[in-house]
Amino acid sequence: MPAQDHPKVQKVIAALREGGAVEDHIERMRVLPDAVTTAVAAAEALGVEVGAIANSLVFDADGEPLLVLTSGAHRVDTAKVAGLVGATAVRRAKPDFVAAATGQAIGGIAPVGHPAPLRTLVDRALEQYEEVWAAGGIAHAVFPSTFAELVAVTGGTPASVA
């Protein structure tokens, strides 16, 4: 089965359309020959700055899933994020927690296409890039977007997370 036809990629495409994403961005969903499970690998494969990669990271915020779309150029400050969302503790979620919240595997988590909407923070550092790239639901799929579009399609909150 071609990766574009993968059910998880199709779910992401449908969610992007439903969320009002620019059709050109949806049509430019790319399936890469190799999995790109890190921001560095994705940036190299796409020929873009690592900061233009929108990492979809799922955290456990007091037992609730929290999606943080962060620039690949830096790490999330979990104490700062906890303060932003009013959580006692924010920690990197375990793979089974991530899979239950997103229906996707770590390394290919898209900003959308989850079983239910997730509380989402979108890193303001992505705002400096005219185009950013995010995972498309599997480790081989990526699509272009913008900071504003990611905020809109996820219903996310812009935040400084580093």
Side-chain angles (χ1 to χ4, degrees):
M1 163 181 21
Q4 296 99 315
D5 295 335
H6 193 286
K8 291 180 183 183
V9 175
Q10 288 302 309
K11 202 173 220 184
V12 170
I13 288 170
L16 287 169
R17 283 200 172 106
E18 184 177 308
V22 174
E23 192 61 31
D24 177 63
H25 292 162
I26 297 166
E27 290 173 4
R28 289 174 54 212
M29 174 83 67
R30 291 181 54 186
V31 177
L32 303 170
D34 297 311
V36 287
T37 58
T38 67
V40 171
E44 286 176 6
L46 294 164
V48 301
E49 290 180 52
V50 72
I53 301 300
N55 278 337
S56 296
L57 304 176
V58 177
F59 292 89
D60 177 335
D62 294 341
E64 295 298 320
L66 173 68
L67 178 63
V68 178
L69 302 180
T70 186
S71 168
H74 59 248
R75 298 181 71 86
V76 172
D77 179 336
T78 54
K80 183 176 187 179
V81 167
L84 290 171
V85 300
T88 304
V90 169
R91 57 182 78 66
R92 204 58 161 306
K94 297 195 180 307
D96 58 336
F97 184 92
V98 173
T102 67
Q104 301 164 3
I106 293 173
I109 298 168
V112 295
H114 312 130
L118 297 177
R119 183 173 190 184
T120 303
L121 298 179
V122 183
D123 189 356
R124 287 195 175 278
L126 294 168
E127 205 167 9
Q128 68 186 296
Y129 299 97
E130 186 175 317
E131 183 173 78
V132 297
W133 288 82
I138 61 172
H140 287 74
V142 292
F143 68 93
S145 191
T146 64
F147 170 80
E149 184 175 73
L150 289 175
V151 170
V153 300
T154 63
T157 302
S160 297
V161 299

